[in-house]
Amino acid sequence: MIKSIHLANEGPYDATGASIQDLKCINFFFGPNGSGKTTISRVISDSQIFPNCNLIWAGGSPLETCVYNKDFVENHFDAESSIKGIYTFGKNIEVNEKIGTLTQEAEQMNAKLTRWRSTLCGEDGVSGKVGERKTLVEQFVEDVWSAKRQMNDLNAAFTGLNNNKQRFYEKYLLEASSNASTLRDIAELREEADMVYSDSLTKAAPLPVQDGSEVLGLEDETILKKIIVGKEDVDIAALIEKLGNSDWVQSGRQYFEQLEGQCPFCQQKTDADFRQSLEAYFDDSYIADLSAVDNLLANYLKASSDLLEAYRTPDIIESSYLNRELLEQDVAALELLFTRNIELIQAKKTEPSVPVTLLDAAAKIARVKAQVTQANRKIAEKNNTIDNLASRKAELTSQIWRRPLEDSKSVYNRHRKKNEDLGSAIMSLQNKIDSETNNLQAKRKEIVENEQKITSIKPTINSINEHLKSFGFTNFHLVESTNSGFYEIEREDGRDAKRTLSEGEKSFITFLYFYHLIDGSFSSSGSTTDKVVVFDDPVSSLDADILFIVCNLIKTVFAKMRSDESPVKQAFVFTHNIYFHKEVTFDKNRNATKAKQDETFWIVRKTSQRSELENFEDNPIKSSYELLWREVRRKPPSYTNIQNVMRRILEHYFKFYGGVTPDNIVDKFDGKDKMICGTLLSWVNDGSHFASDDLYMACEPGQVDRYLNVFQKIFEESGHAGHFSMMMGDDYVALPGEQSE
């Protein structure tokens, strides 16, 4: 059974299209010619030739479709060929019973298949377990894409996947099953990616490493710890040592020399022996030690200055591999230490007798050296990367992928478990469906074999001829053609009647032909195949009596459907004829519950440049007159037929109820409104009441309101404002300057 139909870019349906939802066993459509009814019947007949339209079948199981429309008439009753025979069952009771049993078994199999397919794909063909898995996958695609968005600055690792969620998801699944790379910190990955994925990679020279050994060696000079004093066996040595003023005496010697023998300390004149003793005390050994201190100071100044200068060259300062701020801090700290040590050496020079211990620069030199060494490791890694760029990119890409895999691990594990469970359920259902489908095909083959034993085109000939006679068509009948499996239409005298049938005769016999095809087949098998049947305007050229007969035949189809005595599982009726619609929809046993259970009612309208469909809970066609007023009340009005609708209301009311002369009404208007009034009342004068459903009179969108105002004023000027108000109901609006009742 068809659950829904979507129509677009065909006939009067535009690109936006229209949808027919929640279809049931019996579906009635009413609408004027040109509104799009036949387009629907053609889509049902073969949706494959309409690429923008589609049908949704219950359980995803399409049925055979039998469609009666103008295409059917043209295909089977053209003037150049014989009529294809319809095979129906003969009278072999035993075989008939066997076919009935086989058919019941086939229906049970088909019912199981329908249930399984519904579970697998849902009633709409896209839900069920398959839809559930599709939704699961779609959600997981969004989840992994969200994890990827956290790493958009690493897009180089996802080349070709950055704008395609589906391809990223597929790659994600592959990586999840095979990626065993080391899990690294995201900051490290980002830093390395800046280098590996760079478009301008060049090798870098290593930075010079200073070991500082020269400075460190000077710090351990023994002269720094030596107590430098004069010669001990000189007569003044005991006094100097007792006073501990060797450095004081040494510093005063320069003044002694300048005063030419006068003591710079006591101002007394000294003799030659004192000079000799003073010079003997500060002998060559003492002078050599002072010289050693001077040399140490000079060497330390140079070594420390060279080391600091080495750490301040452009290669070091401008290197991107070093932390410049940290390096400057460490070098500045080292410089302070050197300054202090120089001060200590200078103090040793001033007071040679005082031992000095320099500050240890090893730790601070090591800190600076470590930074340079670390930078050189980075340089070496970069150079190695350049030498092995392809493999390094692959390795880094794998490591970057490891990050979103880890971040979405819990989500992936839940998804995999649910996906595996759904996959198992889907496979199980599909296996059942495949197996039962094979069983059903075998059962249908057995049905065909039995049908071929008893089917014939002759029972159809007899039945159609009986119908023709009973309804008064006695001057032509069907006969079996000389071409096996075909019919001919003959007059009583044996002449071919096909070319000379009237429109009414042709319409009626084509309908009878289709009516018998419903329970038959064009081949010697297939009579019991489930079908969807469509009746598209079957009474266009029939008089009232035959129209009533056609209605009853169609209602017979409905009765057989409801009693499960027919292969027809769903029916559609399309018409523009109000009388036919009222007759074919009449059901004295209908109640609200029944209507909701197995019937739908639709109105098809052409508005402006497109067709629309409106669904109703019960039959919307109460009477032709009420239907016309419903079109007037409709918002927005149909620009294509509103003028004709207003004309037909005025004709119907004033000709049969109002008793008002149209000319008197026209005289009550002036200017353009008078012209509009005249056009609206023109049909009243020519006696064409309800002349033609097919007459097309368009009204420009900008004129609609003016036509509606004139239409309302016609009732008011003729004294029938109360009728207008009653028919408009809640939509009634008084004209400007008028008072509503």
Side-chain angles (χ1 to χ4, degrees):
M1 191 169 77
I2 299 170
K3 298 297 291 181
S4 65
I5 304 171
H6 181 72
L7 308 139
N9 286 328
E10 291 296 340
Y13 300 97
D14 61 9
T16 302
S19 292
I20 309 171
Q21 303 287 343
D22 300 320
L23 291 167
K24 296 178 182 176
C25 291
I26 301 171
N27 307 277
F28 299 102
F29 292 76
F30 180 85
N33 284 342
S35 60
K37 301 188 302 299
T38 297
T39 299
I40 303 174
S41 73
R42 287 171 174 162
V43 171
I44 294 174
S45 179
D46 188 359
S47 63
Q48 298 301 314
I49 64 176
F50 300 97
N52 298 301
C53 304
N54 68 289
L55 307 180
I56 301 298
W57 292 89
S61 302
L63 303 181
E64 178 184 330
T65 57
C66 293
V67 178
Y68 180 86
N69 57 17
K70 61 179 69 176
D71 299 332
F72 178 86
V73 176
E74 291 173 0
N75 291 337
H76 296 285
F77 281 81
D78 62 62
E80 303 301 325
S81 62
S82 299
I83 303 168
K84 204 169 185 178
I86 297 174
Y87 288 83
T88 52
F89 289 150
K91 301 297 184 182
N92 190 317
I93 296 175
E94 182 179 347
V95 177
N96 274 331
E97 289 179 349
K98 186 172 184 179
I99 291 173
T101 300
L102 292 171
T103 301
Q104 285 183 348
E105 293 171 354
E107 287 177 349
Q108 291 170 359
M109 292 178 179
N110 197 52
K112 283 195 288 186
L113 283 172
T114 299
R115 289 196 303 273
W116 290 338
R117 285 172 180 149
S118 180
T119 303
L120 182 64
C121 300
E123 290 291 331
D124 55 3
V126 294
S127 54
K129 293 295 182 183
V130 170
E132 191 176 338
R133 183 164 67 172
K134 181 174 181 288
T135 301
L136 177 71
V137 169
E138 287 173 348
Q139 181 57 54
F140 186 63
V141 168
E142 292 299 326
D143 290 339
V144 299
W145 189 253
S146 179
K148 186 263 178 194
R149 279 201 300 267
Q150 306 304 314
M151 306 179 70
N152 278 348
D153 55 330
L154 295 172
N155 277 345
F158 310 116
T159 301
L161 307 172
N162 289 305
N163 297 314
N164 193 312
K165 293 182 182 181
Q166 183 61 32
R167 289 181 60 188
F168 182 84
Y169 159 74
E170 293 167 359
K171 176 67 173 175
Y172 178 99
L173 294 181
L174 181 63
E175 291 288 334
S177 64
S178 61
N179 192 311
S181 297
T182 303
L183 182 64
R184 297 175 59 190
D185 182 74
I186 188 66
E188 293 180 5
L189 294 173
R190 289 189 169 108
E191 181 180 353
E192 189 169 342
D194 288 340
M195 176 182 64
V196 173
Y197 299 124
S198 172
D199 294 329
S200 56
L201 281 179
T202 56
K203 284 190 174 183
L207 302 175
V209 179
Q210 309 297 327
D211 59 11
S213 58
E214 185 177 358
V215 173
L216 295 176
L218 293 173
E219 290 179 357
D220 294 329
E221 286 288 335
T222 57
I223 194 65
L224 293 170
K225 295 181 175 56
K226 183 176 181 179
I227 299 174
I228 303 174
V229 293
K231 193 173 182 181
E232 294 180 354
D233 57 358
V234 178
D235 55 3
I236 64 172
L239 177 61
I240 291 173
E241 289 177 6
K242 182 178 180 180
L243 296 175
N245 61 352
S246 173
D247 297 332
W248 180 72
V249 174
Q250 167 62 13
S251 63
R253 285 183 62 198
Q254 57 181 319
Y255 302 107
F256 178 75
E257 295 296 334
Q258 294 175 6
L259 295 174
E260 297 179 353
Q262 183 179 357
C263 177
F265 306 111
C266 65
Q267 307 300 316
Q268 299 297 317
K269 192 71 175 178
T270 61
D271 57 16
D273 291 337
F274 179 77
R275 176 183 292 275
Q276 186 177 359
S277 296
L278 191 62
E279 290 177 353
Y281 184 79
F282 294 105
D283 61 1
D284 291 341
S285 175
Y286 183 88
I287 298 303
D289 286 342
L290 289 182
S291 179
V293 173
D294 286 339
N295 289 337
L296 174 62
L297 178 60
N299 291 336
Y300 197 88
L301 282 169
K302 185 177 185 308
S304 62
S305 177
D306 289 347
L307 185 58
L308 291 173
E309 188 64 28
Y311 287 137
R312 285 170 172 155
T313 62
D315 287 346
I316 297 291
I317 293 175
E318 297 174 4
S319 175
S320 61
Y321 301 94
L322 283 164
N323 185 324
R324 184 176 303 176
E325 183 178 351
L326 183 60
L327 178 68
E328 289 177 351
Q329 290 176 359
D330 287 345
V331 171
L334 182 61
E335 185 177 21
L336 286 174
L337 183 145
F338 287 161
T339 300
R340 178 57 182 155
N341 280 349
I342 290 170
E343 290 174 349
L344 290 172
I345 296 173
Q346 289 174 335
K348 177 67 175 177
K349 181 179 177 181
T350 303
E351 299 182 47
S353 65
V354 179
V356 172
T357 301
L358 297 185
L359 300 177
D360 188 359
K364 287 183 168 48
I365 291 174
R367 281 177 61 85
V368 177
K369 181 180 177 180
Q371 290 192 60
V372 177
T373 302
Q374 176 65 20
N376 281 336
R377 278 199 293 269
K378 293 180 181 179
I379 291 171
E381 289 175 2
K382 176 186 177 181
N383 292 341
N384 181 63
T385 295
I386 294 174
D387 291 336
N388 304 277
L389 189 59
S391 61
R392 190 65 199 97
K393 278 186 177 180
E395 181 183 6
L396 181 60
T397 297
S398 183
Q399 290 171 343
I400 290 174
W401 263 103
R402 183 77 171 79
R403 191 72 258 175
L405 291 175
E406 185 67 21
D407 294 343
S408 57
K409 187 174 181 179
S410 60
V411 176
Y412 170 71
N413 289 336
R414 288 196 302 272
H415 166 78
R416 184 177 61 179
K417 178 65 169 61
K418 289 181 180 179
N419 198 37
E420 288 174 354
D421 291 345
L422 283 170
S424 298
I426 289 171
M427 183 177 293
S428 175
L429 283 167
Q430 192 59 61
N431 289 339
K432 287 181 179 180
I433 290 171
D434 292 342
S435 175
E436 196 67 5
T437 298
N438 291 333
N439 295 337
L440 180 59
Q441 289 173 348
K443 189 69 65 177
R444 284 175 174 168
K445 182 179 179 182
E446 191 176 355
I447 292 172
V448 168
E449 291 171 351
N450 281 275
E451 285 180 341
Q452 289 174 343
K453 296 177 183 178
I454 62 171
T455 54
S456 167
I457 66 171
K458 290 182 179 180
T460 305
I461 293 176
N462 296 333
S463 180
I464 290 178
N465 286 337
E466 288 175 4
H467 277 88
L468 289 172
K469 281 184 181 180
S470 64
F471 301 137
F473 293 90
T474 58
N475 59 346
F476 65 92
H477 57 274
L478 284 184
V479 296
E480 191 170 357
S481 174
T482 54
N483 296 326
S484 178
F486 288 87
Y487 302 145
E488 302 287 351
I489 304 176
E490 284 187 355
R491 296 291 183 188
E492 289 300 309
D493 58 5
R495 289 182 295 112
D496 182 7
K498 192 174 184 184
R499 299 172 184 270
T500 59
L501 293 176
S502 68
E503 283 300 312
E505 291 172 335
K506 183 178 180 181
S507 294
F508 187 54
I509 196 171
T510 55
F511 180 80
L512 287 177
Y513 179 78
F514 180 81
Y515 176 77
H516 285 80
L517 178 61
I518 292 172
D519 291 318
S521 172
F522 284 133
S523 67
S524 57
S525 62
S527 297
T528 59
T529 303
D530 291 346
K531 299 177 177 71
V532 172
V533 173
V534 178
F535 301 96
D536 181 13
D537 268 339
V539 295
S540 294
S541 302
L542 299 178
D543 59 33
D545 291 338
I546 302 303
L547 180 148
F548 180 76
I549 295 168
V550 169
C551 284
N552 277 278
L553 291 175
I554 293 175
K555 290 164 80 169
T556 299
V557 174
F558 297 162
K560 289 182 179 179
M561 288 173 60
R562 285 168 169 152
S563 61
D564 291 328
E565 297 176 3
S566 170
V568 179
K569 302 304 176 186
Q570 188 176 32
F572 293 80
V573 179
F574 300 90
T575 185
H576 71 284
N577 187 302
I578 291 176
Y579 181 70
F580 172 74
H581 183 85
K582 290 182 67 178
E583 287 295 331
V584 80
T585 58
F586 177 73
D587 184 353
K588 64 181 180 180
N589 297 318
R590 178 184 290 121
N591 54 46
T593 301
K594 178 180 178 182
K596 291 178 181 178
Q597 286 177 343
D598 69 355
E599 294 178 319
T600 67
F601 297 92
W602 302 80
I603 294 291
V604 188
R605 292 188 178 89
K606 180 79 176 292
T607 61
S608 186
Q609 299 302 314
R610 65 190 301 268
S611 280
E612 297 176 347
L613 293 110
E614 184 176 0
N615 179 230
F616 294 85
E617 290 190 2
D618 55 13
N619 191 352
I621 310 303
K622 307 301 182 184
S623 71
S624 59
Y625 190 62
E626 168 59 28
L627 181 64
L628 292 171
W629 277 99
R630 181 176 305 200
E631 289 296 320
V632 173
R633 294 192 298 267
R634 198 165 159 264
K635 304 294 184 197
S638 171
Y639 303 136
T640 58
N641 67 357
I642 187 64
Q643 191 177 12
N644 283 351
V645 167
M646 290 187 290
R647 281 175 163 171
R648 293 172 65 185
I649 288 174
L650 293 171
E651 174 194 19
H652 187 81
Y653 186 73
F654 287 114
K655 189 134 184 147
F656 295 100
Y657 299 103
V660 177
T661 303
D663 291 341
N664 294 337
I665 301 174
V666 173
D667 290 339
K668 296 180 181 292
F669 290 84
D670 296 313
K672 189 170 182 178
D673 286 352
K674 186 171 186 176
M675 182 190 71
I676 293 174
C677 179
T679 61
L680 291 178
L681 292 173
S682 61
W683 285 4
V684 181
N685 289 323
D686 65 19
S688 61
H689 46 281
F690 299 97
S692 171
D693 289 332
D694 301 328
L695 184 60
Y696 174 80
M697 295 293 290
C699 182
E700 293 297 326
Q703 297 177 334
V704 171
D705 288 341
R706 188 161 192 168
Y707 268 78
L708 288 170
N709 286 340
V710 171
F711 176 70
Q712 179 174 349
K713 199 169 182 180
I714 289 173
F715 280 92
E716 293 177 351
E717 291 292 342
S718 61
H720 292 268
H723 181 73
F724 180 88
S725 175
M726 177 187 71
M727 297 308 294
M728 291 298 290
D730 293 338
D731 294 302
Y732 173 77
V733 177
L735 291 172
E738 300 288 338
Q739 295 294 324
S740 60
E741 296 181 2

